[in-house]
Amino acid sequence: MRPGITDETLISARIRRINADEAKELCGIAEAGLLLPYQNIDGSPILDGWKSYCRLRLENPKDGKKYHQASGTSVHAYLPPGIDQLQQGGDLSIIEGEFKSLALTEAGYAAIGISGFFGFSAKGGEQLVPELLAVIQKLKPNRILFCGDTDTSLNHQFSIAATRLAKLVYPTRVLLPRIPMDAGGKGVDDCRANKGADFKDWWQARVACAHEVKPTDEPPCLAMELFEREQSAITNLSGWAREDAVRRAVKLAASFNSHRYGRKRCSIYLSKN
């Protein structure tokens, strides 16, 4: 049903396909898709208002929108089943997407899913969402791995989110494992499906060379660091993938605004490519 995740894990997480009528009742939208129930660290359902919180992975995405949550609901973190049973003091991954967190957890790594780059914090960004805070208090991670897809090296919002997270969880260290743009998969779930038995070694190599984020880092400088790490991979792309990467790099350069260093370095790369 989903790449990089077994059907047994999906069943354990109570993920199932629902029709448009049921989706209207549970999520407020008459569209078929996969229902993603959210739970607290003790396994009880997360309540938002008067009903259990869930998100819907749309069967037919529209205008780039793949997921839906009921109007008026808050930001919550997705906790895969059994995360409270994992060993304390290790790494905790925070990753965009419920399915990606399930893929990592099934592979033996503690991971929680967030609905977007900034989904680790409540509105205003001044505190962690309760579910994430509960996991941190339970597992007491030595490090937090803020995981992004291949294209986050071309999105300045990811660097803003990473520096914000580093401030919120300090003194716990925050590292950024990178999936190379030529890795053969956009996210960890795709990569796990493609790499099979080699996934663990591959992922551990990603963690070993992860970039550490300091609470004092400036987002433009971090964005430039991530971009420069991917220059050779971007250069090796071809066809539509290369055109899309260059288009994103142009937007990245524009996002620097008054940050002269980042704009100059990004512009130099674009002038050569």
Side-chain angles (χ1 to χ4, degrees), residues 3-6 9-10 78 80-83 86 91-114 144-149 175 177-179 187-193 199-207:
I5 312 169
T6 63
T9 290
L10 295 172
Y78 179 80
I83 192 170
L86 297 177
D91 291 335
L92 172 63
S93 294
I94 299 175
I95 191 165
E96 186 182 10
E98 296 91 344
F99 295 113
K100 295 181 180 70
S101 70
L102 286 168
L104 275 178
T105 300
E106 186 177 79
Y109 305 105
I112 71 164
I114 55 177
I144 287 178
L145 309 179
F146 191 45
C147 312
D149 289 349
L175 285 80
R178 305 302 307 156
I179 300 177
V188 294
D189 46 355
D190 299 321
C191 291
R192 188 176 184 225
F199 174 77
K200 280 198 170 185
D201 289 340
W202 175 85
W203 180 247
Q204 288 167 0
R206 304 279 69 73
V207 174

Side-chain angles (χ1 to χ4, degrees), residues 167-222:
K167 290 181 175 70
L168 286 176
V169 301
Y170 181 81
T172 303
R173 298 166 62 203
V174 174
L175 285 80
L176 308 179
R178 305 302 307 156
I179 300 177
M181 295 195 73
D182 53 1
K186 182 180 179 183
V188 294
D189 46 355
D190 299 321
C191 291
R192 188 176 184 225
N194 293 336
K195 297 184 181 301
D198 295 328
F199 174 77
K200 280 198 170 185
D201 289 340
W202 175 85
W203 180 247
Q204 288 167 0
R206 304 279 69 73
V207 174
C209 64
H211 179 79
E212 183 169 357
V213 184
K214 305 292 187 182
T216 55
D217 283 350
E218 294 184 33
C221 292
L222 175 59

Side-chain angles (χ1 to χ4, degrees), residues 15-36:
I15 295 174
R16 59 188 177 90
R17 184 189 181 278
I18 58 176
N19 60 31
D21 291 338
E22 193 172 2
K24 179 66 175 177
E25 178 184 351
L26 296 174
C27 306
I29 185 173
E31 295 282 349
L34 293 177
L35 183 70
L36 302 164

Side-chain angles (χ1 to χ4, degrees), residues 48-99:
D48 194 310
W50 56 273
K51 61 194 304 185
S52 298
Y53 178 79
C54 57
R55 290 213 308 159
L56 182 71
R57 208 300 184 178
L58 299 174
E59 192 167 285
N60 298 301
K62 295 182 178 179
D63 300 323
K65 179 182 178 180
K66 297 180 180 180
Y67 292 85
H68 175 83
Q69 67 184 68
S71 176
T73 53
S74 302
V75 177
H76 298 280
Y78 179 80
L79 309 187
I83 192 170
D84 60 316
Q85 302 299 316
L86 297 177
Q87 185 176 1
Q88 293 184 342
D91 291 335
L92 172 63
S93 294
I94 299 175
I95 191 165
E96 186 182 10
E98 296 91 344
F99 295 113

